[in-house]
Amino acid sequence: MANLLQIPSDDSVLLRVSHSNLKSFSADVRFSLQMTVESVKEKLWKKSGTSVDSMSLELFDDTGAKVSDLNDNSKPFGFYSPHDG
């Protein structure tokens, strides 16, 4: 019975998104870890106006150190192990 009352774990992350060419652009956006990198880019295209083909995504940790380049559009976003923040 206790298993039925537990809330399932969330498979999404809330990230602070910035844009290298738009200094005033900053947004907190929730992404599913199951989305492909290409789907993440499509979601960001709607927010930033930058086309998917022109995007180069980079993942940084909370100290500002670069963790990874998200250069394989077919991989799930969760492959890169993003965390909230």
Side-chain angles (χ1 to χ4, degrees), residues 13-48:
V13 291
L14 182 64
L15 299 179
R16 170 68 41 105
V17 176
S18 62
H19 194 294
S20 65
N21 294 335
L22 303 173
K23 298 303 178 194
S24 64
F25 179 84
S26 180
D28 291 332
V29 183
R30 183 161 299 279
F31 299 98
S32 169
L33 297 175
Q34 305 303 315
M35 295 172 75
T36 63
V37 171
E38 186 170 19
S39 296
V40 169
K41 288 180 177 182
E42 288 173 359
K43 187 170 186 174
L44 291 174
W45 163 65
K46 294 173 184 173
K47 296 197 173 289
S48 71

Side-chain angles (χ1 to χ4, degrees), residues 3 6 9 12 18 21 30 35 40 44 46 48 51 70 76-77 83-84:
N3 289 340
Q6 293 178 350
S9 63
S12 66
S18 62
N21 294 335
R30 183 161 299 279
M35 295 172 75
V40 169
L44 291 174
K46 294 173 184 173
S48 71
S51 70
L70 285 68
F77 190 50
H83 300 283
D84 285 340

